[in-house]
PDB file of all heavy atoms in Angstrom:
ATOM      1  N   HIS A  98     249.610 159.773-180.912  1.00  0.00           N
ATOM      2  CA  HIS A  98     249.324 160.295-182.244  1.00  0.00           C
ATOM      3  C   HIS A  98     248.147 159.534-182.848  1.00  0.00           C
ATOM      4  O   HIS A  98     247.776 158.467-182.353  1.00  0.00           O
ATOM      5  CB  HIS A  98     250.556 160.144-183.142  1.00  0.00           C
ATOM      6  CG  HIS A  98     251.012 158.715-183.268  1.00  0.00           C
ATOM      7  ND1 HIS A  98     251.919 158.153-182.391  1.00  0.00           N
ATOM      8  CD2 HIS A  98     250.665 157.722-184.132  1.00  0.00           C
ATOM      9  CE1 HIS A  98     252.121 156.880-182.736  1.00  0.00           C
ATOM     10  NE2 HIS A  98     251.372 156.591-183.768  1.00  0.00           N
ATOM     11  N   PRO A  99     247.576 160.044-183.939  1.00  0.00           N
ATOM     12  CA  PRO A  99     246.532 159.263-184.623  1.00  0.00           C
ATOM     13  C   PRO A  99     247.176 158.012-185.203  1.00  0.00           C
ATOM     14  O   PRO A  99     248.258 158.079-185.791  1.00  0.00           O
ATOM     15  CB  PRO A  99     246.035 160.205-185.724  1.00  0.00           C
ATOM     16  CG  PRO A  99     247.141 161.192-185.916  1.00  0.00           C
ATOM     17  CD  PRO A  99     247.789 161.351-184.588  1.00  0.00           C
ATOM     18  N   GLU A 100     246.538 156.877-185.056  1.00  0.00           N
ATOM     19  CA  GLU A 100     247.173 155.628-185.484  1.00  0.00           C
ATOM     20  C   GLU A 100     246.741 155.163-186.872  1.00  0.00           C
ATOM     21  O   GLU A 100     246.874 153.991-187.217  1.00  0.00           O
ATOM     22  CB  GLU A 100     246.927 154.547-184.430  1.00  0.00           C
ATOM     23  CG  GLU A 100     247.624 154.888-183.125  1.00  0.00           C
ATOM     24  CD  GLU A 100     247.699 153.722-182.160  1.00  0.00           C
ATOM     25  OE1 GLU A 100     248.680 152.955-182.227  1.00  0.00           O
ATOM     26  OE2 GLU A 100     246.783 153.593-181.331  1.00  0.00           O
ATOM     27  N   LEU A 101     246.258 156.101-187.667  1.00  0.00           N
ATOM     28  CA  LEU A 101     245.958 155.833-189.071  1.00  0.00           C
ATOM     29  C   LEU A 101     247.004 156.526-189.935  1.00  0.00           C
ATOM     30  O   LEU A 101     247.341 157.693-189.705  1.00  0.00           O
ATOM     31  CB  LEU A 101     244.565 156.358-189.432  1.00  0.00           C
ATOM     32  CG  LEU A 101     243.375 155.591-188.835  1.00  0.00           C
ATOM     33  CD1 LEU A 101     242.092 156.378-189.035  1.00  0.00           C
ATOM     34  CD2 LEU A 101     243.260 154.198-189.442  1.00  0.00           C
ATOM     35  N   ASP A 102     247.523 155.828-190.923  1.00  0.00           N
ATOM     36  CA  ASP A 102     248.461 156.433-191.862  1.00  0.00           C
ATOM     37  C   ASP A 102     247.690 157.342-192.822  1.00  0.00           C
ATOM     38  O   ASP A 102     246.661 156.942-193.383  1.00  0.00           O
ATOM     39  CB  ASP A 102     249.181 155.351-192.679  1.00  0.00           C
ATOM     40  CG  ASP A 102     250.218 154.602-191.865  1.00  0.00           C
ATOM     41  OD1 ASP A 102     250.842 155.210-190.979  1.00  0.00           O
ATOM     42  OD2 ASP A 102     250.404 153.392-192.109  1.00  0.00           O
ATOM     43  N   PHE A 103     248.183 158.552-193.027  1.00  0.00           N
ATOM     44  CA  PHE A 103     247.541 159.463-193.980  1.00  0.00           C
ATOM     45  C   PHE A 103     248.532 160.540-194.386  1.00  0.00           C
ATOM     46  O   PHE A 103     249.468 160.864-193.651  1.00  0.00           O
ATOM     47  CB  PHE A 103     246.281 160.102-193.380  1.00  0.00           C
ATOM     48  CG  PHE A 103     246.553 161.067-192.250  1.00  0.00           C
ATOM     49  CD1 PHE A 103     246.610 162.439-192.487  1.00  0.00           C
ATOM     50  CD2 PHE A 103     246.761 160.615-190.954  1.00  0.00           C
ATOM     51  CE1 PHE A 103     246.860 163.334-191.448  1.00  0.00           C
ATOM     52  CE2 PHE A 103     247.008 161.496-189.915  1.00  0.00           C
ATOM     53  CZ  PHE A 103     247.056 162.867-190.160  1.00  0.00           C
ATOM     54  N   ALA A 112     240.242 156.837-194.438  1.00  0.00           N
ATOM     55  CA  ALA A 112     240.780 155.824-193.529  1.00  0.00           C
ATOM     56  C   ALA A 112     239.956 155.714-192.259  1.00  0.00           C
ATOM     57  O   ALA A 112     239.729 154.613-191.739  1.00  0.00           O
ATOM     58  CB  ALA A 112     242.235 156.155-193.193  1.00  0.00           C
ATOM     59  N   THR A 113     239.479 156.843-191.749  1.00  0.00           N
ATOM     60  CA  THR A 113     238.683 156.824-190.518  1.00  0.00           C
ATOM     61  C   THR A 113     237.343 156.135-190.749  1.00  0.00           C
ATOM     62  O   THR A 113     236.867 155.377-189.899  1.00  0.00           O
ATOM     63  CB  THR A 113     238.466 158.249-189.987  1.00  0.00           C
ATOM     64  OG1 THR A 113     239.731 158.903-189.840  1.00  0.00           O
ATOM     65  CG2 THR A 113     237.778 158.219-188.638  1.00  0.00           C
ATOM     66  N   LEU A 115     236.821 153.795-192.932  1.00  0.00           N
ATOM     67  CA  LEU A 115     237.144 152.371-193.093  1.00  0.00           C
ATOM     68  C   LEU A 115     237.474 151.701-191.765  1.00  0.00           C
ATOM     69  O   LEU A 115     237.381 150.474-191.651  1.00  0.00           O
ATOM     70  CB  LEU A 115     238.328 152.201-194.050  1.00  0.00           C
ATOM     71  CG  LEU A 115     238.104 152.595-195.511  1.00  0.00           C
ATOM     72  CD1 LEU A 115     239.395 152.394-196.311  1.00  0.00           C
ATOM     73  CD2 LEU A 115     236.960 151.806-196.134  1.00  0.00           C
ATOM     74  N   SER A 116     237.856 152.482-190.741  1.00  0.00           N
ATOM     75  CA  SER A 116     238.294 151.902-189.471  1.00  0.00           C
ATOM     76  C   SER A 116     237.150 151.375-188.611  1.00  0.00           C
ATOM     77  O   SER A 116     237.394 150.733-187.583  1.00  0.00           O
ATOM     78  CB  SER A 116     239.098 152.933-188.668  1.00  0.00           C
ATOM     79  OG  SER A 116     238.259 153.987-188.208  1.00  0.00           O
ATOM     80  N   THR A 119     236.909 147.456-187.273  1.00  0.00           N
ATOM     81  CA  THR A 119     238.175 146.777-187.558  1.00  0.00           C
ATOM     82  C   THR A 119     239.298 147.541-186.865  1.00  0.00           C
ATOM     83  O   THR A 119     239.052 148.530-186.185  1.00  0.00           O
ATOM     84  CB  THR A 119     238.429 146.685-189.074  1.00  0.00           C
ATOM     85  OG1 THR A 119     239.549 145.812-189.332  1.00  0.00           O
ATOM     86  CG2 THR A 119     238.718 148.054-189.685  1.00  0.00           C
ATOM     87  N   THR A 120     240.521 147.089-187.026  1.00  0.00           N
ATOM     88  CA  THR A 120     241.657 147.748-186.379  1.00  0.00           C
ATOM     89  C   THR A 120     242.283 148.781-187.306  1.00  0.00           C
ATOM     90  O   THR A 120     242.185 148.679-188.537  1.00  0.00           O
ATOM     91  CB  THR A 120     242.735 146.724-185.990  1.00  0.00           C
ATOM     92  OG1 THR A 120     243.253 146.105-187.196  1.00  0.00           O
ATOM     93  CG2 THR A 120     242.164 145.647-185.077  1.00  0.00           C
ATOM     94  N   ASP A 121     242.943 149.761-186.700  1.00  0.00           N
ATOM     95  CA  ASP A 121     243.678 150.732-187.503  1.00  0.00           C
ATOM     96  C   ASP A 121     244.788 150.035-188.289  1.00  0.00           C
ATOM     97  O   ASP A 121     245.127 150.448-189.403  1.00  0.00           O
ATOM     98  CB  ASP A 121     244.273 151.819-186.601  1.00  0.00           C
ATOM     99  CG  ASP A 121     243.220 152.783-186.097  1.00  0.00           C
ATOM    100  OD1 ASP A 121     242.046 152.641-186.473  1.00  0.00           O
ATOM    101  OD2 ASP A 121     243.563 153.688-185.304  1.00  0.00           O
ATOM    102  N   LEU A 122     245.346 148.995-187.703  1.00  0.00           N
ATOM    103  CA  LEU A 122     246.394 148.246-188.397  1.00  0.00           C
ATOM    104  C   LEU A 122     245.878 147.686-189.714  1.00  0.00           C
ATOM    105  O   LEU A 122     246.523 147.825-190.763  1.00  0.00           O
ATOM    106  CB  LEU A 122     246.902 147.104-187.511  1.00  0.00           C
ATOM    107  CG  LEU A 122     247.844 146.095-188.182  1.00  0.00           C
ATOM    108  CD1 LEU A 122     249.075 146.789-188.733  1.00  0.00           C
ATOM    109  CD2 LEU A 122     248.231 144.988-187.206  1.00  0.00           C
ATOM    110  N   ARG A 123     244.701 147.047-189.693  1.00  0.00           N
ATOM    111  CA  ARG A 123     244.168 146.480-190.923  1.00  0.00           C
ATOM    112  C   ARG A 123     243.850 147.569-191.946  1.00  0.00           C
ATOM    113  O   ARG A 123     244.057 147.373-193.152  1.00  0.00           O
ATOM    114  CB  ARG A 123     242.916 145.648-190.601  1.00  0.00           C
ATOM    115  CG  ARG A 123     242.299 144.934-191.806  1.00  0.00           C
ATOM    116  CD  ARG A 123     243.337 144.144-192.595  1.00  0.00           C
ATOM    117  NE  ARG A 123     244.029 143.169-191.788  1.00  0.00           N
ATOM    118  CZ  ARG A 123     243.658 141.889-191.683  1.00  0.00           C
ATOM    119  NH1 ARG A 123     242.560 141.469-192.288  1.00  0.00           N
ATOM    120  NH2 ARG A 123     244.376 141.045-190.961  1.00  0.00           N
ATOM    121  N   VAL A 124     243.389 148.724-191.482  1.00  0.00           N
ATOM    122  CA  VAL A 124     243.130 149.832-192.394  1.00  0.00           C
ATOM    123  C   VAL A 124     244.439 150.313-193.019  1.00  0.00           C
ATOM    124  O   VAL A 124     244.526 150.517-194.238  1.00  0.00           O
ATOM    125  CB  VAL A 124     242.432 150.995-191.664  1.00  0.00           C
ATOM    126  CG1 VAL A 124     242.305 152.217-192.584  1.00  0.00           C
ATOM    127  CG2 VAL A 124     241.061 150.562-191.161  1.00  0.00           C
ATOM    128  N   ASN A 125     245.467 150.466-192.185  1.00  0.00           N
ATOM    129  CA  ASN A 125     246.762 150.938-192.692  1.00  0.00           C
ATOM    130  C   ASN A 125     247.370 149.956-193.693  1.00  0.00           C
ATOM    131  O   ASN A 125     248.109 150.364-194.593  1.00  0.00           O
ATOM    132  CB  ASN A 125     247.726 151.146-191.527  1.00  0.00           C
ATOM    133  CG  ASN A 125     247.323 152.304-190.639  1.00  0.00           C
ATOM    134  OD1 ASN A 125     246.638 153.222-191.072  1.00  0.00           O
ATOM    135  ND2 ASN A 125     247.735 152.265-189.381  1.00  0.00           N
ATOM    136  N   GLN A 126     247.086 148.688-193.532  1.00  0.00           N
ATOM    137  CA  GLN A 126     247.589 147.684-194.469  1.00  0.00           C
ATOM    138  C   GLN A 126     246.794 147.668-195.769  1.00  0.00           C
ATOM    139  O   GLN A 126     247.258 147.131-196.770  1.00  0.00           O
ATOM    140  CB  GLN A 126     247.547 146.297-193.825  1.00  0.00           C
ATOM    141  CG  GLN A 126     248.511 146.127-192.659  1.00  0.00           C
ATOM    142  CD  GLN A 126     248.325 144.813-191.940  1.00  0.00           C
ATOM    143  OE1 GLN A 126     247.201 144.311-191.825  1.00  0.00           O
ATOM    144  NE2 GLN A 126     249.404 144.246-191.445  1.00  0.00           N
ATOM    145  N   THR A 127     245.607 148.261-195.739  1.00  0.00           N
ATOM    146  CA  THR A 127     244.703 148.228-196.894  1.00  0.00           C
ATOM    147  C   THR A 127     244.748 149.498-197.737  1.00  0.00           C
ATOM    148  O   THR A 127     244.657 149.440-198.972  1.00  0.00           O
ATOM    149  CB  THR A 127     243.251 147.999-196.410  1.00  0.00           C
ATOM    150  OG1 THR A 127     243.194 146.773-195.672  1.00  0.00           O
ATOM    151  CG2 THR A 127     242.283 147.935-197.575  1.00  0.00           C
ATOM    152  N   THR A 128     244.883 150.650-197.088  1.00  0.00           N
ATOM    153  CA  THR A 128     244.761 151.917-197.818  1.00  0.00           C
ATOM    154  C   THR A 128     245.879 152.230-198.820  1.00  0.00           C
ATOM    155  O   THR A 128     245.611 152.977-199.777  1.00  0.00           O
ATOM    156  CB  THR A 128     244.640 153.098-196.836  1.00  0.00           C
ATOM    157  OG1 THR A 128     245.692 153.030-195.863  1.00  0.00           O
ATOM    158  CG2 THR A 128     243.295 153.056-196.127  1.00  0.00           C
ATOM    159  N   PRO A 129     247.104 151.714-198.686  1.00  0.00           N
ATOM    160  CA  PRO A 129     248.106 152.059-199.702  1.00  0.00           C
ATOM    161  C   PRO A 129     247.668 151.723-201.132  1.00  0.00           C
ATOM    162  O   PRO A 129     247.851 152.541-202.052  1.00  0.00           O
ATOM    163  CB  PRO A 129     249.330 151.235-199.278  1.00  0.00           C
ATOM    164  CG  PRO A 129     249.199 151.139-197.790  1.00  0.00           C
ATOM    165  CD  PRO A 129     247.730 150.985-197.563  1.00  0.00           C
ATOM    166  N   ARG A 130     247.078 150.576-201.333  1.00  0.00           N
ATOM    167  CA  ARG A 130     246.617 150.189-202.680  1.00  0.00           C
ATOM    168  C   ARG A 130     245.422 151.040-203.100  1.00  0.00           C
ATOM    169  O   ARG A 130     245.304 151.432-204.273  1.00  0.00           O
ATOM    170  CB  ARG A 130     246.242 148.712-202.699  1.00  0.00           C
ATOM    171  CG  ARG A 130     247.432 147.772-202.549  1.00  0.00           C
ATOM    172  CD  ARG A 130     246.954 146.322-202.494  1.00  0.00           C
ATOM    173  NE  ARG A 130     246.233 145.960-203.707  1.00  0.00           N
ATOM    174  CZ  ARG A 130     245.401 144.928-203.792  1.00  0.00           C
ATOM    175  NH1 ARG A 130     245.148 144.175-202.724  1.00  0.00           N
ATOM    176  NH2 ARG A 130     244.791 144.646-204.932  1.00  0.00           N
ATOM    177  N   PHE A 132     244.653 154.193-202.146  1.00  0.00           N
ATOM    178  CA  PHE A 132     245.044 155.562-202.472  1.00  0.00           C
ATOM    179  C   PHE A 132     245.970 155.626-203.690  1.00  0.00           C
ATOM    180  O   PHE A 132     246.014 156.651-204.375  1.00  0.00           O
ATOM    181  CB  PHE A 132     245.703 156.223-201.263  1.00  0.00           C
ATOM    182  CG  PHE A 132     244.765 156.402-200.100  1.00  0.00           C
ATOM    183  CD1 PHE A 132     245.213 156.232-198.793  1.00  0.00           C
ATOM    184  CD2 PHE A 132     243.439 156.747-200.302  1.00  0.00           C
ATOM    185  CE1 PHE A 132     244.356 156.401-197.717  1.00  0.00           C
ATOM    186  CE2 PHE A 132     242.572 156.916-199.223  1.00  0.00           C
ATOM    187  CZ  PHE A 132     243.024 156.740-197.929  1.00  0.00           C
ATOM    188  N   THR A 156     239.067 145.132-194.730  1.00  0.00           N
ATOM    189  CA  THR A 156     238.580 145.907-193.588  1.00  0.00           C
ATOM    190  C   THR A 156     237.213 145.443-193.095  1.00  0.00           C
ATOM    191  O   THR A 156     236.736 145.907-192.060  1.00  0.00           O
ATOM    192  CB  THR A 156     238.481 147.409-193.939  1.00  0.00           C
ATOM    193  OG1 THR A 156     237.446 147.600-194.918  1.00  0.00           O
ATOM    194  CG2 THR A 156     239.802 147.928-194.472  1.00  0.00           C
ATOM    195  N   ARG A 261     244.144 150.802-175.695  1.00  0.00           N
ATOM    196  CA  ARG A 261     244.636 149.762-176.601  1.00  0.00           C
ATOM    197  C   ARG A 261     245.837 149.006-176.044  1.00  0.00           C
ATOM    198  O   ARG A 261     246.048 147.847-176.364  1.00  0.00           O
ATOM    199  CB  ARG A 261     245.024 150.395-177.940  1.00  0.00           C
ATOM    200  CG  ARG A 261     243.838 150.806-178.790  1.00  0.00           C
ATOM    201  CD  ARG A 261     244.273 151.562-180.037  1.00  0.00           C
ATOM    202  NE  ARG A 261     243.145 151.760-180.941  1.00  0.00           N
ATOM    203  CZ  ARG A 261     243.171 152.547-182.002  1.00  0.00           C
ATOM    204  NH1 ARG A 261     244.279 153.243-182.284  1.00  0.00           N
ATOM    205  NH2 ARG A 261     242.102 152.669-182.782  1.00  0.00           N
ATOM    206  N   GLY A 306     253.626 148.434-183.722  1.00  0.00           N
ATOM    207  CA  GLY A 306     252.457 149.275-183.537  1.00  0.00           C
ATOM    208  C   GLY A 306     251.457 149.056-184.650  1.00  0.00           C
ATOM    209  O   GLY A 306     251.492 148.049-185.364  1.00  0.00           O
ATOM    210  N   GLN A 307     250.558 150.027-184.848  1.00  0.00           N
ATOM    211  CA  GLN A 307     249.506 149.876-185.852  1.00  0.00           C
ATOM    212  C   GLN A 307     249.832 150.582-187.165  1.00  0.00           C
ATOM    213  O   GLN A 307     249.182 150.312-188.174  1.00  0.00           O
ATOM    214  CB  GLN A 307     248.184 150.417-185.297  1.00  0.00           C
ATOM    215  CG  GLN A 307     247.696 149.662-184.076  1.00  0.00           C
ATOM    216  CD  GLN A 307     246.203 149.791-183.893  1.00  0.00           C
ATOM    217  OE1 GLN A 307     245.424 149.124-184.556  1.00  0.00           O
ATOM    218  NE2 GLN A 307     245.799 150.655-182.987  1.00  0.00           N
ATOM    219  N   ARG A 308     250.805 151.473-187.139  1.00  0.00           N
ATOM    220  CA  ARG A 308     251.107 152.242-188.350  1.00  0.00           C
ATOM    221  C   ARG A 308     252.263 151.646-189.134  1.00  0.00           C
ATOM    222  O   ARG A 308     253.280 151.227-188.572  1.00  0.00           O
ATOM    223  CB  ARG A 308     251.422 153.695-187.991  1.00  0.00           C
ATOM    224  CG  ARG A 308     250.227 154.444-187.425  1.00  0.00           C
ATOM    225  CD  ARG A 308     250.508 155.922-187.267  1.00  0.00           C
ATOM    226  NE  ARG A 308     250.714 156.594-188.552  1.00  0.00           N
ATOM    227  CZ  ARG A 308     250.705 157.915-188.713  1.00  0.00           C
ATOM    228  NH1 ARG A 308     250.511 158.707-187.661  1.00  0.00           N
ATOM    229  NH2 ARG A 308     250.886 158.459-189.889  1.00  0.00           N
ATOM    230  N   LEU A 309     252.107 151.630-190.447  1.00  0.00           N
ATOM    231  CA  LEU A 309     253.206 151.219-191.315  1.00  0.00           C
ATOM    232  C   LEU A 309     254.224 152.349-191.426  1.00  0.00           C
ATOM    233  O   LEU A 309     255.411 152.115-191.660  1.00  0.00           O
ATOM    234  CB  LEU A 309     252.688 150.857-192.709  1.00  0.00           C
ATOM    235  CG  LEU A 309     252.106 149.450-192.906  1.00  0.00           C
ATOM    236  CD1 LEU A 309     250.848 149.240-192.080  1.00  0.00           C
ATOM    237  CD2 LEU A 309     251.811 149.194-194.375  1.00  0.00           C
ATOM    238  N   LYS A 310     253.731 153.593-191.250  1.00  0.00           N
ATOM    239  CA  LYS A 310     254.589 154.771-191.311  1.00  0.00           C
ATOM    240  C   LYS A 310     254.383 155.601-190.047  1.00  0.00           C
ATOM    241  O   LYS A 310     253.724 156.652-190.076  1.00  0.00           O
ATOM    242  CB  LYS A 310     254.265 155.610-192.549  1.00  0.00           C
ATOM    243  CG  LYS A 310     254.492 154.882-193.861  1.00  0.00           C
ATOM    244  CD  LYS A 310     254.100 155.770-195.037  1.00  0.00           C
ATOM    245  CE  LYS A 310     254.312 155.057-196.367  1.00  0.00           C
ATOM    246  NZ  LYS A 310     253.905 155.923-197.505  1.00  0.00           N
ATOM    247  N   PRO A 311     254.918 155.160-188.927  1.00  0.00           N
ATOM    248  CA  PRO A 311     254.717 155.896-187.666  1.00  0.00           C
ATOM    249  C   PRO A 311     255.520 157.188-187.634  1.00  0.00           C
ATOM    250  O   PRO A 311     256.469 157.363-188.398  1.00  0.00           O
ATOM    251  CB  PRO A 311     255.220 154.911-186.618  1.00  0.00           C
ATOM    252  CG  PRO A 311     256.233 154.081-187.341  1.00  0.00           C
ATOM    253  CD  PRO A 311     255.715 153.944-188.741  1.00  0.00           C
ATOM    254  N   ALA A 320     254.507 148.656-188.182  1.00  0.00           N
ATOM    255  CA  ALA A 320     253.714 147.470-188.502  1.00  0.00           C
ATOM    256  C   ALA A 320     254.103 146.941-189.881  1.00  0.00           C
ATOM    257  O   ALA A 320     254.526 147.702-190.757  1.00  0.00           O
ATOM    258  CB  ALA A 320     252.229 147.808-188.470  1.00  0.00           C
ATOM    259  N   PRO A 321     253.946 145.648-190.114  1.00  0.00           N
ATOM    260  CA  PRO A 321     254.281 145.068-191.433  1.00  0.00           C
ATOM    261  C   PRO A 321     253.151 145.297-192.426  1.00  0.00           C
ATOM    262  O   PRO A 321     252.006 145.464-192.040  1.00  0.00           O
ATOM    263  CB  PRO A 321     254.428 143.583-191.103  1.00  0.00           C
ATOM    264  CG  PRO A 321     253.478 143.352-189.965  1.00  0.00           C
ATOM    265  CD  PRO A 321     253.544 144.617-189.149  1.00  0.00           C
ATOM    266  N   PRO A 322     253.448 145.323-193.727  1.00  0.00           N
ATOM    267  CA  PRO A 322     252.395 145.485-194.734  1.00  0.00           C
ATOM    268  C   PRO A 322     251.501 144.249-194.790  1.00  0.00           C
ATOM    269  O   PRO A 322     251.825 143.197-194.232  1.00  0.00           O
ATOM    270  CB  PRO A 322     253.186 145.667-196.030  1.00  0.00           C
ATOM    271  CG  PRO A 322     254.492 144.999-195.775  1.00  0.00           C
ATOM    272  CD  PRO A 322     254.785 145.233-194.325  1.00  0.00           C
ATOM    273  N   LEU A 323     250.376 144.368-195.471  1.00  0.00           N
ATOM    274  CA  LEU A 323     249.415 143.276-195.580  1.00  0.00           C
ATOM    275  C   LEU A 323     250.049 142.067-196.253  1.00  0.00           C
ATOM    276  O   LEU A 323     250.700 142.185-197.293  1.00  0.00           O
ATOM    277  CB  LEU A 323     248.201 143.728-196.377  1.00  0.00           C
ATOM    278  CG  LEU A 323     246.976 142.805-196.393  1.00  0.00           C
ATOM    279  CD1 LEU A 323     246.397 142.722-194.987  1.00  0.00           C
ATOM    280  CD2 LEU A 323     245.924 143.310-197.373  1.00  0.00           C
TER     281      LEU A 323
END
Side-chain angles (χ1 to χ4, degrees):
H98 58 271
E100 294 194 89
L101 289 168
D102 287 327
F103 68 97
T113 306
L115 294 179
S116 69
T119 190
T120 63
D121 286 358
L122 171 58
R123 183 50 57 94
V124 174
N125 292 335
Q126 293 173 326
T127 302
T128 51
R130 291 177 60 200
F132 295 143
T156 67
R261 286 174 171 170
Q307 298 204 79
R308 294 188 66 166
L309 278 65
K310 298 178 180 179
L323 190 65

